[in-house]
Amino acid sequence: MKLQANSLYIERSGKQVLQGISFSVDQGQVYALLGGNGAGKSTTLLSFLGFLLPASGQALIDAKEVGADIGAARKNIAYLPESASLYEHLNAHENIEYFLQLAGSAATQAHIDGALDQVALAPDARLRKLRDYSKGMRQKVAIALAILRDTDILLLDEPTSGLDPNAIDEFHQLVRQLADKGKTILMVTHDVYGACQVADKIGLLHSGCLVGEFSAEDGNSIDTEVVHKAFSASAKSPSKISQTEPA
Ligand SMILES: Nc1ncnc2c1ncn2[C@@H]1O[C@H](COP(=O)(O)OP(=O)(O)OP(=O)(O)O)[C@@H](O)[C@H]1O
Ligand SMILES: [Mg+2]
């Protein structure tokens, strides 16, 4: 499935938060949204879930406006929020079972273990209650849950927050594998290096404007240094600094 923002304007509490951004993510692609705090990254994800509707412009899934049928749009999306709220008094398996059920799906214990293997959550932790977990362990459960939804689209808001460097590398490999299997992935991150490793395209947001877009070409990953410089420059001067023309 294809995600597309088309001159998307979003207002929150009377303030223009997204100022006419346009970008697209094709099936099998990973698109990373980078930007400073308050740039509008999480707002962009929420607009694809229909939690925030455009003041003008469009959030499109396969060329259909999200707002026209929010239920249909959400069926195709697994969303990892910035701070996932899991239940402290349930263990990893119980949390996953409960939230899958809420989303109208289910998984066998073997499937759940398979997803927890993919995120490398220690087997001896899986039947412990989440109140005994570290931040990174909770994040792994939330990622496993998103994978198990097995939707065409993944919206991931700072998925590597709280993960240690090894877990971050493994997570990026997993994201790449999922995209290569045909998932469409839009990921918010503050990690320039990780974004360059995994993304087909990077969009740089500043104050609700897409001020730069970078694409991986000919099987090479995006140049970390170029993106890093653009990121710093955008904080100082938010004029257009695209390496490649926005799609
Ligand atoms: N619930 C809300 N109500 C009103 N305005 C909000 C709300 N949440 C965020 N905003 C405003 O929207 C703008 C964009 O916020 P958003 O959460 O999309 O930023 P972000 O790029 O995800 O930042 P961060 O990196 O800190 O997560 C900010 O100016 C913020 O003040
Ligand atoms: Mg955010």
Side-chain angles (χ1 to χ4, degrees):
M1 301 190 103
K2 179 173 175 151
L3 287 176
Q4 200 174 355
N6 190 9
S7 299
L8 181 63
Y9 283 82
I10 299 271
E11 276 178 22
R12 299 183 84 167
S13 309
K15 183 182 149 201
Q16 284 286 0
V17 171
L18 293 185
Q19 318 236 29
I21 64 167
S22 298
F23 67 91
S24 64
V25 195
D26 288 333
Q27 187 183 349
Q29 280 193 331
V30 179
Y31 193 107
L33 269 180
L34 283 174
N37 295 128
K41 304 179 299 297
S42 299
T43 299
T44 306
L45 298 193
L46 293 175
S47 70
F48 283 109
L49 288 156
F51 288 120
L52 297 168
L53 295 175
S56 77
Q58 297 155 317
L60 302 163
I61 296 179
D62 272 353
K64 292 189 200 77
E65 277 199 57
V66 169
D69 189 347
I70 292 173
R74 286 186 194 163
K75 259 199 190 121
N76 294 311
I77 296 175
Y79 168 53
L80 178 75
E82 218 165 347
S83 31
S85 352
L86 300 165
Y87 283 108
E88 296 287 302
H89 64 287
L90 300 179
N91 67 36
H93 272 262
E94 290 164 343
N95 263 290
I96 288 174
E97 279 165 15
Y98 176 74
F99 283 102
L100 281 179
Q101 210 175 357
L102 276 190
S105 56
T108 62
Q109 293 300 313
H111 270 118
I112 294 175
D113 269 319
L116 292 171
D117 286 343
Q118 281 185 295
V119 298
L121 182 75
D124 63 355
R126 295 177 192 181
L127 298 178
R128 290 209 322 257
K129 305 213 184 299
L130 259 69
R131 62 171 166 252
D132 296 339
Y133 276 33
S134 70
K135 185 178 173 197
M137 288 162 75
R138 283 164 216 261
Q139 190 68 354
K140 287 179 176 186
V141 177
I143 294 169
L145 175 60
I147 298 167
L148 282 160
R149 290 278 319 284
D150 197 23
T151 52
D152 287 332
I153 298 168
L154 284 158
L155 301 181
L156 308 172
D157 203 340
E158 299 184 37
T160 56
S161 134
L163 298 185
D164 67 46
N166 277 340
I168 290 176
D169 280 347
E170 283 167 19
F171 173 74
H172 285 141
Q173 283 169 29
L174 178 61
V175 164
R176 196 60 258 169
Q177 282 166 17
L178 290 169
D180 292 343
K181 280 189 201 149
K183 307 279 184 196
T184 306
I185 300 176
L186 176 59
M187 184 174 104
V188 167
T189 183
H190 288 116
D191 174 8
V192 176
Y193 173 76
C196 290
Q197 266 188 325
V198 72
D200 298 286
K201 283 196 225 167
I202 291 177
L204 189 51
L205 262 187
H206 180 87
S207 300
C209 298
L210 198 66
V211 294
E213 200 172 61
F214 306 86
S215 299
E217 271 152 31
D218 306 327
N220 296 318
S221 33
I222 300 169
D223 189 328
T224 311
E225 204 171 323
V226 170
V227 176
H228 203 277
K229 276 193 184 143
F231 196 158
S232 308
S234 77
K236 290 176 197 135
S237 152
S239 55
K240 267 215 176 312
I241 45 171
S242 316
Q243 171 214 28
T244 54
E245 288 301 311

